[in-house]
């Protein structure tokens, strides 16, 4: 019996080392710091492209860990490079760091009372999307990994990205500017991981989707030209309002009759129409603006092509003219299916298989998608809701709240994904 137990101990020891280092003690010691950092960021939020203090705190932390640091990337971005003791590939981890012009309504000891100027107006500022949690989680990951360089086969690049919510008008910013400034090079990134906290997913759980996960957002502008006439005599003019109605109707048939909806969802929304000045004048022109959301690049190409064909053709059919212009706002947050399959066992090991659940696509957009156009990436959702809280408030609202007991799972998951990805890649 004794001998058997002894053998069991040896086997157990060998198994533990084959699975990599036991980081439990280190996770435990970093959890309180992560929560403290998060509450500090929450209390001191900064708007997109204005994350000066946030960036200073991140850079100071990374430097204190002995991580090589670049600052001022894409204005206020911070990049940390941690080289492991063993050679291998490069994995990037990304956290967005900006807050929103929202007045916080929560009654918390670390509630934000910050105000700032936004588009010429004084506004309240709040981490109403939870990017404070992303920033704190990634600082925690950096701390744990920096103490395990002997286990890292390759390099981990920490990307603290400004302006995910969009740079102010007239400014560049966010993921695309970071890429333009070379964040994916020197050393060249092989894969990227990122997460978003979710106010309606219980703490302790992870949700993910393979393939198209968050939509590409495109903006379109349609200009319809008719011929002005008296409202009582439509026959002597061409009515751009009636043409606009036909166009709106036509656009919806692209979604309902032409897009293969069993493949992925797609949306066309006309969000604004502008035409006319008074009740008895048929105006000369109309303008419509709207958004297109797609989760598949082939469907996006089809929808764009058909919109460009249909808009002028419909206007022509009713005696007018129309032009359409489509511009990209974000790409598809596309989770590389092979990478997802490769990393799922890691997630299940960390969170427990029963806590890693597939989810539906989201028609909201995320600029992490730009990184995924350069290298394979995996973006997933982390639970931030107190279990049982039925009326969790959505992101971007004044009552948005995150239970920070869920943050440690984010630290563990990103840490283990990095180690396992580099370990497998090195073999
Ligand atoms: Zn947001
Ligand atoms: Zn967000």
């Amino acid at each position: 019996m004794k001998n058997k137990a002894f053998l069991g101990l040896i086997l157990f020891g060998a198994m533990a080392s084959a699975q990599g280092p036991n980081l439990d003690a280190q996770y435990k010691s970093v959890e309180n710091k992560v929560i403290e950092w998060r509450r500090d960021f929450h209390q001191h939020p900064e708007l997109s492209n204005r994350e000066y203090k946030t960036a200073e705190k991140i850079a100071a932390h990374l430097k204190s860990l002995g991580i090589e640091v670049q600052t001022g990337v894409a204005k206020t971005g911070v990049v940390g490079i941690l080289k492991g003791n063993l050679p291998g590939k490069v994995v990037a981890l990304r956290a967005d760091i900006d807050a929103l012009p929202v007045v916080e309504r929560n009654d918390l000891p670390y509630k934000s009372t910050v105000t700032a100027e936004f588009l010429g107006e004084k506004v309240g500022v709040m981490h109403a999307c939870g990017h404070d949690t992303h920033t704190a989680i990634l600082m925690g990951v950096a701390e744990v990994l920096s103490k395990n360089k002997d286990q890292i086969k390759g390099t981990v690049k920490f990307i603290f990205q400004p302006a995910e919510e969009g740079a102010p008008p007239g400014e560049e910013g966010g993921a695309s500017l970071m890429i333009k400034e070379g964040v994916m090079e020197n050393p060249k990134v092989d894969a990227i991981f990122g997460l978003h906290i979710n106010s309606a997913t219980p703490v302790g759980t992870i949700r993910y989707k393979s393939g198209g996960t968050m939509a590409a957002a495109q903006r379109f502008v349609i200009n319809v030209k008719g011929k002005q006439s008296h409202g009582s005599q439509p026959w002597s003019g061409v009515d751009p309002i009636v043409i606009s109605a036909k166009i709106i109707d036509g656009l919806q048939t692209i979604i309902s009759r032409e897009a293969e909806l069993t493949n992925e969802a797609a949306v066309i929304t006309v969000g604004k129409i502008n035409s006319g000045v008074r009740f008895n004048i048929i105006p000369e022109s109309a303008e419509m603006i709207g958004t297109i959301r797609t989760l598949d690049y082939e469907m996006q190409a089809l929808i764009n092509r058909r919109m460009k064909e249909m808009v002028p053709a419909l206007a022509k059919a009713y005696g007018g003219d129309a032009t359409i212009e489509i511009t990209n706002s974000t790409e598809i947050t596309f989770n590389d299916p092979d990478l997802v399959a490769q990393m799922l066992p890691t997630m299940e090991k960390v969170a427990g298989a029963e806590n890693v659940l597939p989810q539906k696509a989201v028609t909201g957009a995320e600029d992490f998608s730009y990184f995924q156009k350069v290298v394979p990436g995996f973006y997933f959702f982390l639970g931030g809701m107190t279990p049982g809280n039925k009326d969790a408030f959505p992101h971007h609202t004044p009552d948005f709240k995150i239970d920070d007991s869920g943050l440690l799972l984010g630290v563990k998951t990103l840490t283990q994904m990095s180690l396992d990805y580099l370990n497998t890649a090195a073999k």
Side-chain angles (χ1 to χ4, degrees), residues 99-110:
L100 285 160
V102 173
V103 180
E104 175 148 27
R105 211 152 46 193
N106 290 313
D107 190 18
L108 295 165
Y110 53 92

Side-chain angles (χ1 to χ4, degrees), residues 100 128-129 131 164-165 196 395-396:
L100 285 160
C129 202
H131 300 179
E164 192 284 324
E165 301 287 359
H196 207 300
H395 293 236
H396 290 214

Side-chain angles (χ1 to χ4, degrees), residues 89-389:
K89 294 209 170 189
V90 180
V91 67
L93 305 173
R94 176 272 210 169
D96 40 6
I97 64 173
D98 55 329
L100 285 160
V102 173
V103 180
E104 175 148 27
R105 211 152 46 193
N106 290 313
D107 190 18
L108 295 165
Y110 53 92
K111 165 188 176 156
S112 167
T113 54
V114 171
T115 58
E117 201 184 289
F118 182 67
L119 303 180
E121 273 180 64
K122 192 180 162 190
V123 294
V125 185
M126 176 188 175
H127 267 295
C129 202
H131 300 179
D132 48 346
T133 67
H134 306 167
T135 310
I137 286 170
L138 196 53
M139 284 167 65
V141 175
E143 178 151 339
V144 175
L145 285 176
S146 69
K147 289 177 179 157
N148 291 280
K149 279 166 75 170
D150 55 331
Q151 303 291 335
I152 300 174
K153 293 181 181 157
T155 300
V156 185
K157 201 179 247 193
F158 302 93
I159 300 178
F160 291 89
Q161 181 214 302
E164 192 284 324
E165 301 287 359
E171 290 181 31
E172 275 189 278
S176 56
L177 186 58
M178 289 196 106
I179 294 166
K180 212 159 130 184
E181 293 186 7
V183 77
M184 301 303 269
E185 306 294 325
N186 299 320
K188 200 169 163 44
V189 173
D190 294 295
I192 187 162
F193 301 133
L195 60 75
H196 207 300
I197 196 87
N198 191 280
S199 68
T201 302
V203 297
T205 57
I206 287 172
R207 291 195 171 258
Y208 74 96
K209 182 178 179 291
S210 189
T213 297
M214 294 183 79
Q218 294 178 300
R219 182 178 189 271
F220 64 86
V221 180
I222 294 171
N223 276 296
V224 182
K225 212 170 162 315
K227 187 173 167 235
Q228 190 155 330
S229 69
H230 197 288
S232 66
Q233 298 164 354
W235 46 85
S236 59
V238 174
D239 189 344
I241 292 178
V242 170
I243 293 175
S244 296
K246 301 291 180 190
I247 289 175
I248 294 166
D249 204 24
L251 295 181
Q252 294 311 326
T253 66
I254 298 176
I255 300 298
S256 65
R257 306 286 82 183
E258 299 188 47
E260 198 172 337
L261 296 176
T262 50
N263 182 13
E264 290 287 1
V267 174
I268 299 175
T269 292
V270 175
K272 188 182 179 204
I273 310 177
N274 197 16
S275 183
V277 283
R278 61 172 280 147
F279 75 102
N280 61 354
I281 298 175
I282 290 171
E284 187 165 89
S285 63
E287 186 197 58
M288 294 187 278
I289 58 176
T291 188
I292 308 161
R293 301 297 166 109
T294 48
L295 290 146
D296 176 284
Y297 284 114
E298 270 179 41
M299 288 174 74
Q300 185 187 60
L302 169 92
I303 289 167
N304 286 185
R305 176 173 62 77
R306 290 293 294 133
M307 288 177 83
K308 286 175 186 166
E309 287 168 359
M310 191 180 268
V311 166
L314 278 174
K316 217 174 187 125
Y318 295 95
D321 285 304
T323 58
I324 175 165
E325 219 176 284
I326 301 173
T327 48
N328 288 0
S329 301
T330 54
E331 302 293 338
I332 297 167
T333 304
F334 186 85
N335 285 338
D336 184 88
D338 291 340
L339 188 63
V340 171
Q342 184 189 335
M343 298 322 301
L344 264 184
T346 298
M347 288 180 148
E348 290 176 345
K349 181 172 68 184
V350 174
E354 69 282 10
N355 295 318
V356 182
L357 304 161
Q359 71 154 60
K360 290 188 284 187
V362 177
T363 46
E366 163 61 56
D367 86 346
F368 186 79
S369 54
Y370 286 100
F371 299 116
Q372 290 171 309
K373 268 217 127 173
V374 184
V375 296
F378 187 5
Y379 191 75
F380 57 93
F381 300 91
L382 177 72
M385 180 187 88
T386 309
N389 179 11

